[in-house]
Amino acid sequence: MTVNPYKFQPQKAFWKTAVAARHMADMQDLWTPLPLKKADRVATAGSCFAQHIGRNLALRGANYMDMEPAPPVFEDAAQARDWGYGVFSGRYGNIYTTRQLVQLFDEAHGNRTPVERVWQKGDRYFDALRPSVDPVGQDSPDTVIALREKHLAAVRAMFADLDLFVFTMGLTEGWEARADGTMYPMAPGTLAGSHDPDKYVFHNLRHAEILADMTGFRDRLLSVNPGARMLLTVSPVPLTATATQEHVLPATVYSKSVLRAVAGELAEDYDDITYFPSYEIISSHPMQGMFFNPDKRTVNQFGVDLVMQQFFSGPLAAEFSAAQVAAAPVDLICDEEKLEQALDRADAAR
């Protein structure tokens, strides 16, 4: 007797019962929460949306790692965030691409040194690998390099000590140096430096490259921290702009689709990697776009709250009580927003 292979599937496996018959705010079992305790040391990195997970974990009592706390010179936490403090576990700014992540690990462990680490703007000097974290720059390249070495030491300690690394995959597009393949978080000439086609080239990472980056990063991380685990998400925030010849909409779909495919494969292949579907919760068509602001790009607070509701479900709801959450929402620190501002200024100057 032939048995229908779907006969014993749970309700969450069927569109009719799991999606069509439910309000978007009442969907359940969108993921299987990973084992996580308050004592576990959690570090975050990636695109803008990673800030929500890190902040909400910290508010709920998680052992959230802040490897570069703000010095007592700022008026408040909001001002410190403008200088890259308290945004992620390290003061590395947005790590949008998997290539940046691998290269940061290698640099922190002394296995690579980018040919070009300093960019100039006027008479000030900036860290080319994290130009957004210093709004005013430094007075000399040597100072920039000294500050970077201190930063890399903090990153190295973070990778060695963390229990869970939360990484939000954001983009496939990036700009890299022709000399050594160093990929930058921003195109040269946007925040600092200057765009020279002879020195820099646009690179839209493909599936195989991103998968190789992430498996390589996993190997590296486990070599210094054998018990480390990863939680991967994909940012639901569309591209601000594309450097391809495509319309920004299909360029966005390409980027997110490739990242989602890689994240899914990694979660299937490795027990120490988990995927959380923040991308699907915000961007999939049953949500009818209602979790985006009028710009159809940035995520509204209703969407953030729903993502956090799904994240802190099952055993995580009991371990991380929402009773401690009382802080008001904060603006995300996003390098891509600064790209849009730079483009607006350029248009105004024409």
Side-chain angles (χ1 to χ4, degrees), residues 204-215:
N204 197 10
L205 294 165
R206 295 187 173 188
H207 178 281
E209 295 176 294
I210 296 168
L211 183 61
D213 283 345
M214 290 305 297
T215 54

Side-chain angles (χ1 to χ4, degrees), residues 34 164-165 214-215 217-218 222 228-232 262-276:
L34 77 171
L164 179 68
F165 181 56
M214 290 305 297
T215 54
F217 172 76
R218 176 181 176 272
L222 294 180
R229 296 178 291 155
M230 277 194 282
L231 175 66
L232 299 179
V262 171
E265 290 181 27
L266 292 168
E268 287 184 7
D269 290 346
Y270 301 105
D271 291 338
D272 49 34
I273 299 179
T274 303
Y275 174 74
F276 173 65

Side-chain angles (χ1 to χ4, degrees), residues 39-42 63 65 161-165 225 227-230:
D40 292 335
R41 293 159 296 191
V42 181
N63 188 4
M65 301 176 75
D161 293 340
L162 61 82
D163 294 305
L164 179 68
F165 181 56
N225 186 346
R229 296 178 291 155
M230 277 194 282

Side-chain angles (χ1 to χ4, degrees), residues 88-99:
F88 300 103
S89 292
R91 193 167 167 248
Y92 27 64
N94 290 123
I95 301 176
Y96 282 119
T97 64
T98 56
R99 190 61 46 85

Side-chain angles (χ1 to χ4, degrees), residues 22 99 204 222 311 319 335:
R22 290 182 176 271
R99 190 61 46 85
N204 197 10
L222 294 180
F311 185 87
E319 183 71 14
D335 290 349

Side-chain angles (χ1 to χ4, degrees), residues 29-84:
D29 302 321
L30 288 172
W31 79 309
T32 301
L34 77 171
L36 188 66
K37 300 297 183 182
K38 285 186 178 180
D40 292 335
R41 293 159 296 191
V42 181
T44 60
S47 74
C48 310
F49 208 78
Q51 297 169 46
H52 289 305
I53 295 178
R55 180 170 179 270
N56 278 271
L57 278 166
L59 289 171
R60 287 169 168 82
N63 188 4
Y64 182 72
M65 301 176 75
D66 184 358
M67 304 303 295
E68 298 178 86
V73 298
F74 299 104
E75 294 180 359
D76 52 31
Q79 187 182 64
R81 284 172 60 82
D82 289 338
W83 290 73

Side-chain angles (χ1 to χ4, degrees), residues 13-278:
F14 299 93
W15 190 269
K16 181 177 179 179
T17 54
V19 180
R22 290 182 176 271
H23 187 276
M24 61 192 71
D26 294 327
M27 291 187 188
Q28 298 176 353
D29 302 321
L30 288 172
W31 79 309
T32 301
L34 77 171
L36 188 66
K37 300 297 183 182
K38 285 186 178 180
D40 292 335
R41 293 159 296 191
V42 181
T44 60
S47 74
C48 310
F49 208 78
Q51 297 169 46
H52 289 305
I53 295 178
R55 180 170 179 270
N56 278 271
L57 278 166
L59 289 171
R60 287 169 168 82
N63 188 4
Y64 182 72
M65 301 176 75
D66 184 358
M67 304 303 295
E68 298 178 86
V73 298
F74 299 104
E75 294 180 359
D76 52 31
Q79 187 182 64
R81 284 172 60 82
D82 289 338
W83 290 73
Y85 293 100
V87 180
F88 300 103
S89 292
R91 193 167 167 248
Y92 27 64
N94 290 123
I95 301 176
Y96 282 119
T97 64
T98 56
R99 190 61 46 85
Q100 287 176 256
L101 178 63
V102 172
Q103 292 178 349
L104 174 63
F105 186 98
D106 286 348
E107 187 184 359
H109 290 84
N111 295 321
R112 83 182 307 268
T113 300
V115 171
E116 186 174 23
R117 293 185 286 175
V118 180
W119 281 346
Q120 187 171 357
K121 183 178 180 180
D123 61 352
R124 307 294 289 179
Y125 298 90
F126 296 80
D127 188 330
L129 285 306
R130 49 173 191 159
S132 67
V133 303
D134 186 350
V136 300
Q138 299 296 320
D139 58 3
S140 73
D142 289 342
T143 302
V144 173
I145 296 300
L147 291 172
R148 180 156 190 81
E149 291 300 325
K150 183 178 179 181
H151 164 66
L152 292 172
V155 171
R156 186 167 60 251
M158 179 191 77
F159 284 133
D161 293 340
L162 61 82
D163 294 305
L164 179 68
F165 181 56
V166 181
F167 182 60
T168 297
M169 305 167 77
L171 299 175
T172 58
E173 296 188 16
W175 292 86
E176 63 185 21
R178 292 184 184 273
D180 63 353
T182 295
M183 186 164 281
Y184 300 102
M186 296 288 290
T190 50
L191 294 181
S194 59
H195 180 64
D196 182 349
D198 292 332
K199 294 176 62 178
Y200 312 105
V201 61
F202 172 69
H203 188 170
N204 197 10
L205 294 165
R206 295 187 173 188
H207 178 281
E209 295 176 294
I210 296 168
L211 183 61
D213 283 345
M214 290 305 297
T215 54
F217 172 76
R218 176 181 176 272
D219 291 342
R220 289 165 169 82
L221 179 60
L222 294 180
S223 72
V224 300
N225 186 346
R229 296 178 291 155
M230 277 194 282
L231 175 66
L232 299 179
T233 66
V234 174
S235 171
V237 180
L239 278 64
T240 292
T242 179
T244 68
Q245 298 304 307
E246 302 292 332
H247 187 285
V248 70
L249 179 58
T252 292
V253 173
Y254 168 83
S255 185
K256 304 301 181 179
S257 299
V258 170
L259 295 173
R260 174 61 181 92
V262 171
E265 290 181 27
L266 292 168
E268 287 184 7
D269 290 346
Y270 301 105
D271 291 338
D272 49 34
I273 299 179
T274 303
Y275 174 74
F276 173 65
S278 55

